[in-house]
Amino acid sequence: MPNSVEAYRRHDLLDVEPRAWGAVLAGRADLAGVPHVAAWIGEGRPVILRRAHPGEEGLVPAGLPLPPRDGKRRIGLALPPEAVRRRSPVLLSETHCACPSAWSATIRKILALGDSHGFAPRPFGGLLWQSLTGLPYLTAQSDLDLLWPVSGAVPQTLLDGLARIEAEAPMRLDGEILLSDGGGVNWRELFGAGPADTVLVKHRDRLALRPAAAILAGDPE
């Protein structure tokens, strides 16, 4: 089990020991009565790693979003490392039951695109949380947020394929290419970058500008 926040990466899902969850909430009077929070862990739901704030050294910064009907509030907590363990990521192929029917054709195209490149896209945002909790996170205005883990070069054909699919999709396709070092770059920003352009890469603990050409080529940072 990881024993510090340094062991985790952005978008990691985390399970929390129930007694530790109760102890943390006991010190958060501002969360008393907030829907779903007290029972969150007891109902088998994970939290997600977030960026740390000052004063959270030595703790694991985690968060959970509430559904739109409950204010769409993002709850942030700092958890003891020994009470947290990483959960396996959810694949897009595992979320069919949570997807709106209007998304079905687009989902099939995305999965086929991933298969053709040997990549398994992962949802985040509303689709992830709806599939994990059964609560209504998706609305008619929701984006489809995806993570694309890529271990080396980023195929231009993957980016081209996403752009083609989005042009015919009933929703906006958002998301990131996840690099082997844990950083993430918006796929649309990378798709639109010229040979001399830089793009923003988000890490757990920092932001960095990198040449788009180096990312596409799979060059290490």
Side-chain angles (χ1 to χ4, degrees):
M1 179 190 303
N3 58 12
S4 72
V5 68
E6 286 75 18
Y8 299 112
R9 291 182 170 184
R10 293 177 64 245
H11 304 295
D12 275 353
L13 295 174
L14 308 171
D15 285 314
V16 185
E17 197 279 323
R19 283 183 293 183
W21 185 254
V24 169
L25 292 185
R28 290 289 303 272
D30 61 307
L31 298 179
V34 174
H36 312 298
V37 175
W40 192 267
I41 297 303
E43 293 179 353
R45 298 166 179 168
V47 293
I48 194 166
L49 190 78
R50 60 171 175 81
R51 294 186 69 183
H53 300 313
E56 294 180 335
E57 294 78 9
L59 298 172
V60 179
L64 64 93
L66 296 182
R69 72 179 185 187
D70 295 310
K72 209 174 181 178
R73 179 178 174 184
R74 282 161 172 72
I75 309 295
L77 302 116
L79 305 168
E82 65 275 10
V84 175
R85 66 183 184 278
R86 184 186 286 112
R87 179 185 289 204
S88 297
V90 176
L91 301 179
L92 179 62
S93 59
E94 300 171 334
T95 63
H96 289 295
C97 292
C99 289
S101 58
W103 289 16
S104 296
T106 300
I107 297 291
R108 288 195 296 271
K109 292 176 184 177
I110 291 169
L111 291 174
L113 178 67
D115 287 344
S116 70
H117 289 85
F119 300 144
R122 293 158 35 189
F124 69 106
L127 178 57
L128 172 67
W129 292 106
Q130 187 156 303
S131 67
L132 285 170
T133 68
L135 298 172
Y137 282 83
L138 295 173
T139 69
Q141 292 75 43
S142 292
D143 298 341
L144 174 54
D145 302 306
L146 297 173
L147 303 172
W148 291 87
V150 176
S151 59
V154 180
Q156 184 64 47
T157 50
L158 173 66
L159 303 176
D160 293 343
L162 285 172
R164 285 195 301 271
I165 292 170
E166 184 182 48
E168 300 177 348
M171 82 296 276
R172 184 174 186 268
L173 298 186
D174 204 354
E176 297 180 355
I177 306 296
L178 287 186
L179 308 177
S180 57
D181 63 1
V185 57
N186 184 276
W187 78 263
R188 190 179 287 100
E189 184 177 351
L190 191 59
F191 172 71
D197 290 340
T198 58
V199 292
L200 181 67
V201 181
K202 298 179 180 180
H203 293 265
R204 173 187 57 77
D205 55 355
R206 70 188 190 281
L207 303 174
L209 288 173
R210 290 192 61 197
I215 293 175
L216 289 169
D219 294 342
E221 186 173 9

